[in-house]
Coordinates of all heavy atoms in Angstrom, one line a residue:
A250 N 186.9 26.4 -144.0 CA 187.5 27.2 -143.1 C 187.6 26.6 -141.7 O 188.6 26.8 -140.9 CB 186.6 28.6 -142.9
A251 N 186.6 25.8 -141.3 CA 186.6 25.2 -139.9 C 187.8 24.1 -139.9 O 188.5 24.0 -138.9 CB 185.3 24.5 -139.6
I252 N 187.9 23.4 -141.1 CA 189.0 22.4 -141.1 C 190.3 23.1 -141.0 O 191.3 22.6 -140.3 CB 188.9 21.6 -142.4 CG1 187.5 20.8 -142.4 CG2 190.1 20.6 -142.5 CD1 187.3 20.1 -143.7
C253 N 190.6 24.2 -141.7 CA 191.8 24.8 -141.7 C 192.1 25.4 -140.3 O 193.3 25.3 -139.8 CB 191.8 26.0 -142.7 SG 191.8 25.6 -144.4
T254 N 191.1 26.0 -139.6 CA 191.3 26.4 -138.3 C 191.7 25.3 -137.3 O 192.5 25.4 -136.4 CB 190.1 27.2 -137.8 OG1 189.7 28.1 -138.7 CG2 190.2 27.8 -136.4
Y255 N 190.9 24.2 -137.5 CA 191.2 23.1 -136.5 C 192.6 22.5 -136.7 O 193.3 22.2 -135.8 CB 190.1 21.9 -136.9 CG 190.5 20.7 -136.2 CD1 190.0 20.5 -134.8 CD2 191.2 19.6 -136.8 CE1 190.3 19.3 -134.2 CE2 191.5 18.5 -136.1 CZ 191.0 18.3 -134.8 OH 191.3 17.1 -134.2
L256 N 193.0 22.3 -138.0 CA 194.3 21.7 -138.3 C 195.4 22.7 -137.7 O 196.4 22.1 -137.2 CB 194.5 21.5 -139.7 CG 193.8 20.3 -140.3 CD1 193.8 20.3 -141.8 CD2 194.4 19.0 -139.8
A257 N 195.3 24.0 -137.9 CA 196.4 24.9 -137.5 C 196.5 24.8 -136.0 O 197.6 24.9 -135.4 CB 196.1 26.3 -137.9
D258 N 195.4 24.6 -135.2 CA 195.5 24.4 -133.7 C 195.9 23.1 -133.4 O 196.6 22.9 -132.3 CB 194.1 24.8 -133.2 CG 193.8 26.3 -133.1 OD1 194.7 27.1 -133.3 OD2 192.7 26.7 -132.9
A259 N 195.5 22.1 -134.1 CA 195.8 20.7 -133.7 C 197.4 20.3 -133.9 O 197.9 19.4 -133.3 CB 195.0 19.7 -134.6
F260 N 198.0 21.1 -134.7 CA 199.4 20.9 -135.0 C 200.2 22.2 -134.9 O 200.6 22.8 -135.8 CB 199.6 20.3 -136.5 CG 198.9 19.0 -136.6 CD1 197.7 18.9 -137.2 CD2 199.6 17.8 -136.3 CE1 197.1 17.6 -137.4 CE2 199.0 16.6 -136.4 CZ 197.7 16.5 -137.0
P261 N 200.3 22.6 -133.6 CA 200.9 23.9 -133.3 C 202.4 24.1 -133.8 O 202.9 25.2 -134.0 CB 200.8 24.1 -131.8 CG 200.6 22.7 -131.3 CD 199.9 21.9 -132.4
D262 N 203.0 22.9 -133.9 CA 204.5 23.0 -134.3 C 204.7 23.6 -135.7 O 205.7 24.1 -136.1 CB 205.1 21.6 -134.3 CG 205.3 21.1 -132.9 OD1 205.2 21.9 -131.9 OD2 205.6 19.9 -132.7
A263 N 203.6 23.5 -136.5 CA 203.7 24.1 -137.9 C 203.7 25.6 -137.9 O 203.9 26.2 -138.9 CB 202.6 23.5 -138.7
Q264 N 203.2 26.2 -136.7 CA 203.2 27.6 -136.5 C 202.3 28.3 -137.6 O 202.8 29.3 -138.1 CB 204.6 28.2 -136.5 CG 205.4 27.7 -135.3 CD 206.8 28.4 -135.2 OE1 207.3 29.0 -136.1 NE2 207.4 28.2 -134.0
L265 N 201.2 27.7 -137.8 CA 200.3 28.3 -138.9 C 199.1 29.1 -138.2 O 198.2 29.6 -138.9 CB 199.7 27.2 -139.7 CG 200.8 26.6 -140.7 CD1 200.2 25.4 -141.4 CD2 201.3 27.6 -141.7
A266 N 199.1 29.3 -137.0 CA 198.1 30.1 -136.2 C 198.8 30.9 -135.2 O 199.6 30.4 -134.3 CB 197.1 29.2 -135.6
P267 N 198.6 32.2 -135.1 CA 199.1 33.1 -134.1 C 198.6 32.7 -132.7 O 197.6 32.0 -132.5 CB 198.6 34.5 -134.4 CG 198.2 34.4 -135.9 CD 197.7 33.0 -136.0
A268 N 199.4 33.1 -131.7 CA 199.0 32.7 -130.3 C 197.8 33.4 -129.9 O 197.5 34.5 -130.2 CB 200.2 33.0 -129.4
P269 N 196.9 32.7 -129.1 CA 195.7 33.2 -128.5 C 196.0 34.4 -127.7 O 197.0 34.6 -127.0 CB 195.1 32.2 -127.6 CG 195.7 30.9 -128.2 CD 197.0 31.2 -128.7
G270 N 195.1 35.4 -127.9 CA 195.3 36.7 -127.1 C 196.1 37.7 -127.7 O 196.3 38.8 -127.1
T271 N 196.7 37.5 -128.9 CA 197.5 38.5 -129.5 C 196.7 39.2 -130.6 O 195.8 38.7 -131.1 CB 198.8 37.7 -130.2 OG1 198.3 36.8 -131.2 CG2 199.6 37.0 -129.1
P272 N 197.3 40.4 -131.0 CA 196.6 41.1 -132.1 C 196.7 40.3 -133.4 O 195.7 40.4 -134.2 CB 197.5 42.4 -132.2 CG 198.1 42.6 -130.9 CD 198.3 41.2 -130.3
E273 N 197.7 39.5 -133.6 CA 197.8 38.7 -134.8 C 196.7 37.6 -134.8 O 196.2 37.3 -135.9 CB 199.2 38.0 -134.9 CG 200.3 39.0 -135.1 CD 200.7 39.7 -133.9 OE1 200.4 39.3 -132.8 OE2 201.4 40.7 -134.0
R274 N 196.3 37.1 -133.6 CA 195.2 36.1 -133.5 C 194.0 36.7 -133.9 O 193.1 36.1 -134.6 CB 195.2 35.6 -132.2 CG 194.2 34.4 -132.0 CD 194.6 33.2 -132.5 NE 193.8 32.1 -132.0 CZ 194.1 30.8 -132.2 NH1 195.2 30.4 -132.8 NH2 193.3 29.8 -131.8
A275 N 193.7 38.0 -133.5 CA 192.6 38.7 -133.9 C 192.4 38.9 -135.4 O 191.3 38.6 -136.0 CB 192.4 40.1 -133.2
A276 N 193.5 39.3 -136.0 CA 193.5 39.4 -137.5 C 193.3 38.1 -138.2 O 192.6 38.0 -139.2 CB 194.8 40.1 -137.9
Y277 N 193.9 37.1 -137.5 CA 193.8 35.7 -138.2 C 192.3 35.3 -138.2 O 191.8 34.8 -139.2 CB 194.6 34.8 -137.2 CG 194.5 33.3 -137.5 CD1 195.1 32.7 -138.5 CD2 193.8 32.5 -136.5 CE1 195.0 31.3 -138.7 CE2 193.8 31.1 -136.7 CZ 194.3 30.5 -137.8 OH 194.2 29.2 -138.0
F278 N 191.5 35.4 -137.1 CA 190.2 35.1 -137.1 C 189.4 35.9 -138.0 O 188.4 35.5 -138.7 CB 189.6 35.1 -135.7 CG 190.0 33.9 -134.8 CD1 190.5 34.1 -133.6 CD2 189.7 32.6 -135.3 CE1 190.7 32.9 -132.8 CE2 190.0 31.5 -134.6 CZ 190.6 31.6 -133.3
R279 N 189.7 37.2 -138.0 CA 189.0 38.2 -138.8 C 189.1 37.8 -140.3 O 188.0 37.7 -141.0 CB 189.7 39.6 -138.7 CG 189.1 40.7 -139.7 CD 189.9 41.9 -139.8 NE 189.4 42.8 -140.7 CZ 190.0 44.0 -141.0 NH1 191.1 44.4 -140.4 NH2 189.4 44.8 -141.8
W280 N 190.2 37.4 -140.8 CA 190.4 37.0 -142.3 C 189.9 35.7 -142.6 O 189.4 35.4 -143.7 CB 191.7 37.4 -142.7 CG 192.1 38.8 -142.7 CD1 192.9 39.4 -141.8 CD2 191.5 39.8 -143.5 NE1 192.9 40.8 -142.1 CE2 192.0 41.1 -143.1 CE3 190.5 39.8 -144.5 CZ2 191.7 42.3 -143.7 CZ3 190.1 41.0 -145.1 CH2 190.7 42.2 -144.7
L281 N 189.9 34.7 -141.6 CA 189.4 33.4 -141.9 C 187.9 33.6 -142.1 O 187.3 33.1 -143.0 CB 189.7 32.5 -140.7 CG 191.0 31.8 -140.7 CD1 191.2 31.1 -139.4 CD2 191.0 30.7 -141.8
F282 N 187.2 34.3 -141.2 CA 185.8 34.5 -141.3 C 185.4 35.4 -142.4 O 184.3 35.3 -143.0 CB 185.2 34.9 -140.0 CG 185.1 33.8 -138.9 CD1 186.2 33.6 -138.1 CD2 184.0 33.0 -138.8 CE1 186.1 32.5 -137.2 CE2 183.9 32.0 -137.9 CZ 184.9 31.8 -137.1
F283 N 186.3 36.4 -142.7 CA 186.0 37.2 -144.0 C 186.0 36.3 -145.2 O 185.2 36.5 -146.0 CB 187.1 38.2 -144.1 CG 186.8 39.2 -145.2 CD1 186.2 40.4 -144.9 CD2 187.4 39.0 -146.4 CE1 186.0 41.4 -145.9 CE2 187.2 39.9 -147.5 CZ 186.5 41.1 -147.2
G284 N 186.9 35.4 -145.2 CA 186.9 34.5 -146.5 C 185.7 33.6 -146.5 O 185.2 33.3 -147.6
A285 N 185.3 33.1 -145.4 CA 184.2 32.2 -145.3 C 182.9 32.9 -145.5 O 181.8 32.4 -145.8 CB 184.1 31.4 -144.0
G286 N 182.8 34.3 -145.2 CA 181.7 35.0 -145.2 C 181.6 35.9 -146.4 O 181.1 35.5 -147.5
P287 N 182.1 37.2 -146.3 CA 182.0 38.1 -147.4 C 182.6 37.7 -148.8 O 181.9 37.8 -149.8 CB 182.7 39.4 -146.9 CG 182.5 39.3 -145.4 CD 182.5 37.8 -145.1
L288 N 183.8 37.1 -148.7 CA 184.4 36.7 -149.9 C 183.7 35.5 -150.6 O 183.4 35.6 -151.8 CB 185.9 36.3 -149.7 CG 186.7 35.8 -150.9 CD1 186.8 37.0 -152.0 CD2 188.1 35.4 -150.5
E289 N 183.3 34.6 -149.8 CA 182.6 33.5 -150.4 C 181.2 33.9 -151.0 O 180.8 33.6 -152.1 CB 182.3 32.4 -149.4 CG 181.4 31.2 -149.7 CD 182.1 30.1 -150.4 OE1 183.3 30.2 -150.6 OE2 181.4 29.1 -150.9
A290 N 180.4 34.7 -150.2 CA 179.1 35.1 -150.6 C 179.2 36.0 -151.8 O 178.4 35.8 -152.8 CB 178.5 35.9 -149.5
A291 N 180.1 37.0 -151.8 CA 180.3 37.9 -153.0 C 180.7 37.1 -154.2 O 180.1 37.4 -155.3 CB 181.2 39.0 -152.7
G292 N 181.6 36.2 -154.0 CA 182.1 35.4 -155.2 C 181.0 34.5 -155.8 O 180.8 34.5 -157.1
V293 N 180.3 33.8 -155.0 CA 179.2 32.9 -155.4 C 178.1 33.8 -156.1 O 177.5 33.4 -157.2 CB 178.6 32.1 -154.3 CG1 177.4 31.4 -154.7 CG2 179.7 31.0 -153.8
N294 N 177.6 34.9 -155.5 CA 176.6 35.6 -156.1 C 177.1 36.2 -157.5 O 176.3 36.2 -158.4 CB 176.3 36.8 -155.2 CG 175.3 36.5 -154.1 OD1 174.8 35.4 -154.1 ND2 175.1 37.3 -153.1
Q295 N 178.3 36.6 -157.5 CA 178.8 37.1 -158.8 C 178.8 36.0 -159.9 O 178.4 36.2 -161.1 CB 180.2 37.6 -158.7 CG 180.9 38.1 -160.0 CD 180.3 39.4 -160.4 OE1 179.5 40.1 -159.7 NE2 180.7 39.9 -161.6
A296 N 179.2 34.8 -159.5 CA 179.2 33.6 -160.4 C 177.9 33.3 -160.9 O 177.6 32.8 -162.0 CB 179.9 32.4 -159.7
L297 N 176.9 33.4 -160.0 CA 175.5 33.0 -160.3 C 174.7 34.1 -161.0 O 173.6 34.0 -161.3 CB 174.7 32.5 -159.1 CG 175.3 31.3 -158.3 CD1 174.5 31.1 -157.0 CD2 175.2 30.1 -159.3
G298 N 175.4 35.3 -161.1 CA 174.7 36.4 -161.7 C 173.7 37.0 -160.8 O 172.7 37.7 -161.4
V299 N 173.8 36.9 -159.5 CA 172.9 37.5 -158.6 C 173.3 39.0 -158.4 O 174.4 39.3 -157.9 CB 172.9 36.9 -157.2 CG1 172.0 37.5 -156.3 CG2 172.5 35.4 -157.4
E300 N 172.5 39.9 -158.7 CA 172.8 41.3 -158.7 C 172.3 41.9 -157.3 O 171.1 41.7 -157.0 CB 172.1 42.1 -159.8 CG 172.3 43.6 -159.8 CD 171.6 44.4 -160.8 OE1 170.9 43.8 -161.6 OE2 171.7 45.6 -160.8

Side-chain angles (χ1 to χ4, degrees):
I252 296 171
C253 290
T254 306
Y255 173 85
L256 284 171
D258 283 346
F260 297 95
D262 289 348
Q264 298 185 342
L265 291 170
T271 62
E273 292 79 16
R274 182 77 166 190
Y277 172 73
F278 281 129
R279 173 190 179 184
W280 292 112
L281 277 168
F282 283 89
F283 185 92
L288 180 59
E289 173 85 4
V293 169
N294 278 350
Q295 180 73 6
L297 296 176
V299 177
E300 179 185 359

